Amino acid sequence: MTPSPTESGRNTIELKVTPDDYRIARYAAAAIALSVAEAAIPSPLPGVKPGLANIVVLMVLMRHGWRDAVWVSLLRVVAGSLVIGQFLAPGFFLALTGAIASLGALGIATHLPRRWFGPVSLSIVAAFAHIGGQILLARLWLIPHDGVFLLVPLFATAALLFGIINGMVAAHLLSEQTGDN
Amino acid sequence: MSFRKLPPAYWLRLLQPGDWLIMLVGVVAVAVSYPLLWRGGGADHVIVKRDGELVAELPLTITKRIEVSGPIGTTVIEVQPGRARVASDPGPRQYCVKQGWLTAANAIAICAPNHVSLMLAARDGKSIGHDSVTY
């Protein structure tokens, strides 16, 4: 419908932007920047990446809860893949599956008592869920052969290593209480 | 925020008791995954063929030498627990001999000039053995 001259005023749709939206957008921007920067790092084995964006997701989870973490993580996957030019390519679906699997695991793990289990625990759980989901998708869709499971030990090693490191970085950043919302 | 001049003790203090537990579980899971998934396909018997026809089928648990005569001479196959090889062959280039001991399921040594092949197979023909994995 064309705007009629009788309607005084304009025909724009105003989206209400809440403080929540700004906060999520800021975190998502940080996560996207990290995943784009990380895409430039050469890897000896395709699929083995540090997953630096997960540091941001962990921090959001600890500070603002699971719902915000879901938003940041999924925005990161979609916008990050658009930036890299991978949107709807197999790599995008692998990243999406990994993100959904680790968010699911985090949703459960976040109920662990905080007194005993810190960001490092959550990070390791998320990292294992991430590769678990990806390997499963790869087996079901991309490489329908049990041969893919031969890669599991390597991926699991990387998940453990980067899970610990990312968790420690997140714990460090959270302990600083930099006060940005 | 700064990462400089942070001693290792600082990083260790970020770990809570449960974190150590999860790390331990992770290390055990990773350590178990290697032998579990990389056990070489679990070969358990040897198949020797000449002209594509079965000459001998032996379990990979015994020690035995068998001789197979082909068009240009005699190929000697040696079986030991867990491995098998072509010990000697009359072929001019000795490829199947140079392959040495075979241990993985689906591994095969073919002595083409003498029409003899040696292959390792997995139990029930079911195997996670592979020729190669590539991207």
Side-chain angles (χ1 to χ4, degrees):
Chain A
M1 200 205 311
T2 49
S4 90
T6 53
E7 280 177 46
S8 61
R10 50 200 82 154
N11 205 23
T12 50
I13 302 165
E14 273 203 31
L15 293 172
K16 275 209 167 164
V17 183
T18 65
D20 275 14
D21 296 334
Y22 281 120
R23 191 180 64 234
I24 287 169
R26 257 204 300 278
Y27 280 119
I32 292 162
L34 283 173
S35 63
V36 170
E38 185 178 271
I41 302 173
S43 165
L45 183 65
V48 173
K49 286 191 221 172
L52 298 174
N54 295 318
I55 296 169
V56 178
V57 175
L58 275 175
M59 292 175 68
V60 175
L61 179 75
M62 301 294 271
R63 279 187 183 158
H64 306 290
W66 187 70
R67 198 193 71 99
D68 282 23
V70 171
W71 269 111
V72 170
S73 178
L74 295 183
L75 280 171
R76 193 277 297 177
V77 170
V78 174
S81 73
L82 282 171
V83 174
I84 302 168
Q86 237 194 6
F87 185 58
L88 297 186
F92 165 77
F93 290 104
L94 285 172
L96 184 64
T97 309
I100 291 170
S102 63
L103 286 169
L106 284 174
I108 297 165
T110 193
H111 295 299
L112 289 168
R114 288 275 164 101
R115 235 171 77 76
W116 299 98
F117 297 93
V120 175
S121 292
L122 296 179
S123 181
I124 294 169
V125 168
F128 275 115
H130 199 100
I131 55 146
Q134 292 191 321
I135 285 278
L136 218 55
L137 180 74
R139 172 64 184 85
L140 294 174
W141 178 42
L142 296 171
I143 311 165
H145 185 272
D146 284 344
V148 285
F149 294 125
L150 290 164
L151 293 168
V152 167
L154 294 176
F155 286 164
T157 307
L160 180 64
L161 187 70
F162 293 128
I164 292 171
I165 294 171
N166 289 350
M168 285 184 133
V169 172
H172 167 67
L173 294 175
L174 286 164
S175 74
E176 290 211 322
Q177 295 293 350
T178 41
D180 69 314
N181 53 75
Chain B
M1 60 181 87
S2 165
F3 288 92
R4 273 171 295 172
K5 296 177 194 163
L6 289 173
Y10 168 80
W11 294 102
L12 288 180
R13 250 182 296 139
L14 292 174
L15 292 169
Q16 283 155 282
D19 295 341
W20 288 104
L21 180 71
I22 300 276
M23 279 201 288
L24 184 71
V25 172
V27 168
V28 170
V30 168
V32 166
S33 74
Y34 279 92
L36 198 67
L37 293 165
W38 283 7
R39 66 184 157 196
D44 81 335
H45 61 280
V46 175
I47 294 169
V48 180
K49 288 182 177 177
R50 182 185 54 220
D51 289 316
E53 283 176 26
L54 192 69
V55 173
E57 188 164 356
L58 305 164
L60 203 53
T61 51
I62 56 167
T63 302
K64 195 171 179 181
R65 281 172 82 89
I66 53 173
E67 299 186 353
V68 185
S69 47
I72 62 166
T74 302
T75 301
V76 179
I77 284 166
E78 193 175 355
V79 179
Q80 288 186 2
R83 59 185 194 168
R85 68 169 175 173
V86 178
S88 73
D89 179 70
R93 281 172 287 274
Q94 300 286 301
Y95 290 138
C96 57
V97 179
K98 287 175 184 166
Q99 267 183 268
W101 293 103
L102 308 182
T103 55
N106 300 343
I108 188 164
I110 301 170
C111 303
N114 209 26
H115 299 197
V116 175
S117 73
L118 161 69
M119 183 180 163
L120 301 198
R123 55 193 76 87
D124 316 326
K126 194 175 175 333
S127 161
I128 61 161
H130 52 98
D131 297 333
S132 68
V133 176
T134 186
Y135 285 93

